[in-house]
């Protein structure tokens, strides 16, 4: 892992690939000795890959949702500031008698 400069913590595609290769080799070796155990490990590997993919999709979706909400809040803030300014100008004109 040091040769490939994989990070020890956090999300690291290099580390993920190295572990995947290691697990695939482990599955290969187990399958040679016992086909049923090898098939079970294949199912475990596929299940965890699907779970990780689902979490990645959920994360990306939540980021997009957060960005949309932030943009909407910024637009509302600008609208409210414009409304307040208009109200202040109207009040000042009324006081001034214009």
């Amino acid at each position: 892992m040091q040769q490939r400069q994989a990070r020890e913590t956090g999300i690291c595609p290099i580390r993920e690939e190295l572990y995947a290769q290691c697990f695939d080799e482990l599955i290969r070796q187990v399958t040679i000795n016992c086909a049923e155990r090898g098939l079970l490990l294949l199912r475990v590997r596929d299940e965890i890959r699907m779970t990780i993919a689902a979490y990645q999709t959920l994360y990306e979706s939540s980021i997009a949702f957060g960005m949309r909400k932030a943009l909407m809040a910024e637009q509302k803030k600008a609208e409210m500031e414009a409304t307040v300014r208009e109200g202040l100008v109207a009040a000042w004109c009324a006081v001034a008698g214009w």
Side-chain angles (χ1 to χ4, degrees):
M1 286 204 294
Q2 289 176 348
Q3 268 183 332
R4 300 271 310 268
Q5 298 178 343
R7 292 188 294 170
E8 292 182 20
T9 60
I11 297 172
C12 179
I14 296 168
R15 192 180 72 235
E16 181 181 346
E17 177 61 29
L18 291 172
Y19 283 147
Q21 289 175 6
C22 181
F23 196 58
D24 288 343
E25 178 61 21
L26 182 66
I27 291 170
R28 187 188 71 76
Q29 290 179 17
V30 168
T31 304
I32 290 170
N33 292 329
C34 179
E36 293 83 8
R37 285 183 183 167
L39 289 173
L40 182 60
L41 284 174
L42 278 173
R43 289 176 63 185
V44 168
R45 182 198 64 193
D46 293 343
E47 185 67 32
I48 196 67
R49 284 182 180 172
M50 287 190 304
T51 301
I52 289 171
Y55 278 124
Q56 286 174 333
T57 301
L58 182 62
Y59 172 76
E60 291 165 3
S61 175
S62 67
I63 293 296
F65 177 78
M67 291 298 291
R68 283 193 308 273
K69 284 300 208 178
L71 288 172
M72 288 172 50
E74 195 63 36
Q75 289 172 345
K76 281 287 191 190
K77 179 182 172 187
E79 290 172 8
M80 292 175 91
E81 287 174 345
T83 302
V84 168
R85 268 193 303 270
E86 289 171 9
L88 289 174
V89 168
W92 186 78
C93 288
V95 169
W98 290 358

